[in-house]
Amino acid sequence: MTDWIRVCATAELLPGETTVAWDGDTPILVVNYDGDFYALEDRCSHEDFELSAGTFDGDDATVECTLHGAKFDVRDGRALCAPAYAPVPRFPVKVEDGAVWTRDDRG
């Protein structure tokens, strides 16, 4: 299992904001949805494109891929509309010592 990586201070990622962290070769999209932090692989499951380039909707907890309009629920990674049908991998998040941490736990 990989070690936790520090994403940022909690004060640096306000509700409705996103950032990208790197765990080795894996880009991880970290979002603050209404004060809770979630982490997904920063890659659309429909086509290999960065979800961070798209739009995060802080009202309905979705991120939309700018390439073809696929939407995903940031809380669990599930695809919400075509052209994506497969979920995006979700990663664990912890808040410790005033910082947000995540890791690619796929082993």
Side-chain angles (χ1 to χ4, degrees):
M1 179 115 10
T2 60
D3 292 331
W4 290 91
I5 56 167
R6 186 181 187 280
V7 178
C8 64
T10 54
E12 295 174 334
L13 192 61
L14 301 176
E17 294 184 342
T18 68
T19 192
V20 176
W22 286 85
D23 187 357
D25 293 329
T26 305
I28 300 174
L29 175 65
V30 181
V31 302
N32 181 334
Y33 170 62
D34 200 25
D36 293 318
F37 300 95
Y38 299 93
L40 303 172
E41 185 172 6
D42 188 19
R43 185 185 63 80
C44 180
S45 64
H46 165 249
E47 194 151 324
D48 190 10
F49 196 78
E50 302 90 1
L51 288 176
S52 58
T55 304
F56 170 55
D57 187 326
D59 291 330
D60 66 3
T62 61
V63 62
E64 181 177 349
C65 179
T66 192
L67 194 58
H68 295 117
K71 282 189 179 182
F72 301 90
D73 189 312
V74 298
R75 296 166 293 191
D76 58 15
R78 67 191 156 101
L80 300 174
C81 68
Y85 298 99
V88 172
R90 183 172 165 240
F91 301 123
V93 175
K94 69 178 180 178
V95 175
E96 189 173 276
D97 298 325
V100 180
W101 300 78
T102 191
R103 69 178 180 203
D104 181 347
D105 64 347
R106 293 178 291 184

